[in-house]
Amino acid sequence: MAQAWKCAGLRWAADGPVLRWVGGRRRVLARGKRVAFGVAEGGVRTCVGARGNACPVRAGVPARSTGARCEECARLDRAHSVAADTMADDPRPYRVYLAWFGPGLVKVGITAYERGSARLLEQGAVCFSWLGCGPLMAARRTEELLRAALGVPDRIPYTHKRAVRAALPGSQEERTAEIAGLHARAVALGGWPEALTPEPFRGVDHAGVFGIAGAERGPVAVAEVAELVAGGAIGGELVAAAGPDLHLATERGVVVLDTRLMTGWELLAAEGEPCAVPLRELKGAAGVQDGLF
C-alpha cells in the first residue's frame, strides 16, 4: 500500500510557498511544476488538534471546514492567539499594516515584527504598506482606531479575495493607489498611542510573486475545490499561488485549491488521475459544472 502523509498546511518562506507535512517533511512549490495528490478510499478527515497537541479524541471534522479542528480544539487554539487578546504581556514588537486584495477590498491588521511580510503573503495580500510599529497592545489599539475611523474591516473572506483576482489593475501604481490614500488619511488622524511609531507609506506589491498580474499572470481560474473526498484526486501544473490558494492547471481548466482543505486527511501521491473532487464555479467563469469529475 502507498505511503500516506498528513498535510500540516501551507506557509510562505523566502523561497516561495512551502507545503509542510506532519513529521517535518516540506516541499517548496515552484510555478510550472506539477502538484498532485489523492485521498485514500475510505479515508476520514480528523481534527488536527491545537497548539501542537493532537486532538485527544481524534474527532471527525467536516470536509468543507478550512480550520480542520473540532469545536473544543478550535476553542483552545483561539484562546492562546493574538487575536483573542490574551497575550497582553507579549514583549515582542508588532506592526500595524494596511493590506489590499483587490478594488474595494482593504483591511487593517497587526503582525509580529519578527515575521516580516510572511503574514501578508499567507493572507494573500496583493499589496500592503506598514503603518506603524510598537508594543502589542498599542498596535491593537491603533488597529481598532483605524478600523473605525477609516471604515475598513480587520478580516476579509478568502472567497471575496479569489473573486477579484481575475480583474486586478495592470500596474503596481494602480494596485497600491487605494492603500496610499488610506495611509495618508490614517497618519492625519489624532489619537494614535504614543508607544506606536508611525511608518511612512511604502507600497509592497506581491502580484508578481503570486503570479496573478502583469507578465507573471497565468490563465484565469474557472473553479475552486469545494472539498476533498475519500477516493478523490486532483493534480495539475502550478500556475499561481496566493495565500493558502494554489492555482492548478487541470484538464478542466485552472482550479483553485485552498490548501487548508488538505489538513486532517491522509493523502497519497498521485500521477495522471483526472480531477475528481467537487468543484464550485468562480464568479464570472463559465463551463464548469458543480460535481465530481
Side-chain angles (χ1 to χ4, degrees):
M1 181 178 177
Q3 184 173 3
W5 298 85
K6 274 202 168 184
C7 182
L10 184 76
R11 289 291 181 268
W12 281 80
D15 46 1
V18 179
L19 265 182
R20 301 175 303 123
W21 304 88
V22 173
R25 185 185 179 202
R26 63 195 299 273
R27 177 188 175 188
V28 177
L29 301 178
R31 291 206 300 274
K33 300 296 184 181
R34 183 172 175 81
V35 176
F37 64 88
V39 181
E41 292 285 353
V44 175
R45 193 183 192 199
T46 57
C47 175
V48 297
R51 317 303 296 177
N53 298 305
C55 176
V57 297
R58 289 183 51 84
V61 291
R64 298 196 176 202
S65 165
T66 54
R69 289 186 173 90
C70 67
E71 185 175 340
E72 180 62 17
C73 286
R75 184 188 67 79
L76 290 172
D77 190 68
R78 181 169 178 79
H80 293 86
S81 70
V82 170
D85 283 338
T86 58
M87 302 169 61
D89 59 347
D90 188 340
R92 298 177 298 170
Y94 279 77
R95 272 174 152 172
V96 187
Y97 61 81
L98 283 170
W100 184 89
F101 302 89
L105 294 182
V106 180
K107 64 158 285 189
V108 61
I110 68 172
T111 185
Y113 184 92
E114 65 194 38
R115 296 209 67 205
S117 62
R119 176 68 176 148
L120 285 304
L121 290 163
E122 290 165 5
Q123 291 184 60
V126 179
C127 58
F128 78 94
S129 176
W130 302 120
L131 278 163
C133 181
L136 172 59
M137 296 315 293
R140 178 64 79 203
R141 287 194 297 273
T142 305
E143 178 190 34
E144 289 301 312
L145 167 69
L146 299 180
R147 185 178 61 81
L150 303 180
V152 294
D154 57 3
R155 63 182 59 196
I156 296 174
Y158 280 96
T159 52
H160 295 175
K161 300 174 188 178
R162 294 182 194 115
V164 300
R165 283 185 195 151
L168 295 176
S171 71
Q172 178 174 336
E173 290 73 21
E174 292 175 288
R175 291 191 292 271
T176 57
E178 193 169 354
I179 56 171
L182 286 169
H183 188 284
R185 288 174 55 195
V187 297
L189 292 171
W192 283 49
E194 292 184 3
L196 194 99
T197 303
E199 296 192 40
F201 177 78
R202 185 175 72 86
V204 178
D205 190 80
H206 291 152
V209 176
F210 291 157
I212 57 175
E216 300 296 322
R217 170 177 261 166
V220 173
V222 298
E224 63 184 352
V225 175
E227 62 182 303
L228 301 185
V229 292
I234 183 171
E237 178 189 336
L238 182 66
V239 295
D245 294 344
L246 304 181
H247 292 223
L248 303 177
T250 75
E251 75 282 358
R252 294 287 180 166
V254 174
V255 172
V256 179
L257 168 64
D258 185 337
T259 53
R260 296 175 299 171
L261 297 174
M262 296 169 60
T263 55
W265 288 103
E266 295 276 357
L267 302 175
L268 308 169
E271 297 297 335
E273 291 88 340
C275 181
V277 291
L279 301 180
R280 278 190 301 262
E281 181 180 333
L282 286 173
K283 184 178 180 181
V288 179
Q289 69 183 61
D290 183 10
L292 288 176
F293 298 131

